[in-house]
Amino acid sequence: MPLFGNIFSPKKTPPRKSASLSNLHTLDRSTREIELGLKYGSPVMNIGVQSLTFEDGQWISESTAETHLIQKELEDVRSNSRRKK
């Protein structure tokens, strides 16, 4: 019979709690946006001093993004002017 107990059998640790009880990770993006009102912007990645934005399935650099926005605005103006004629 050991004097200080059995030092070779450690106590059992209590079971861990669940990390998250939320099911938000199972919802797709559109459902989360509708249910929670979250507005997600386009993904942005910074590499060194250059900033890249993911738009229309392509990574666009910061300078290219500005020209891309100008082109979109120009197309909108052209399509609106054609409709008015």
Side-chain angles (χ1 to χ4, degrees):
M1 181 164 176
L3 185 60
F4 298 108
N6 192 351
I7 58 172
F8 296 107
S9 63
K11 295 180 182 178
K12 289 187 177 182
T13 58
R16 294 184 181 189
K17 293 183 180 179
S18 175
S20 174
L21 297 176
S22 172
N23 63 351
L24 294 177
H25 65 280
T26 60
L27 300 175
D28 62 314
R29 181 178 178 174
S30 60
T31 307
R32 276 188 297 223
E33 194 171 306
I34 292 168
E35 292 291 326
L36 303 173
L38 299 175
K39 300 283 184 179
Y40 294 102
S42 57
V44 177
M45 174 174 53
N46 295 320
I47 299 178
V49 294
Q50 189 172 13
S51 178
L52 301 170
T53 307
F54 192 76
E55 291 182 12
D56 299 327
Q58 294 182 342
W59 287 100
I60 301 172
S61 68
E62 192 173 282
S63 60
T64 310
E66 291 173 5
T67 57
H68 189 67
L69 288 174
I70 292 170
Q71 287 176 351
K72 280 186 176 182
E73 289 177 9
L74 183 60
E75 288 174 8
D76 290 341
V77 169
R78 286 181 183 167
S79 65
N80 287 339
S81 67
R82 289 179 187 157
R83 290 180 193 160
K84 290 181 182 179
K85 288 184 179 180

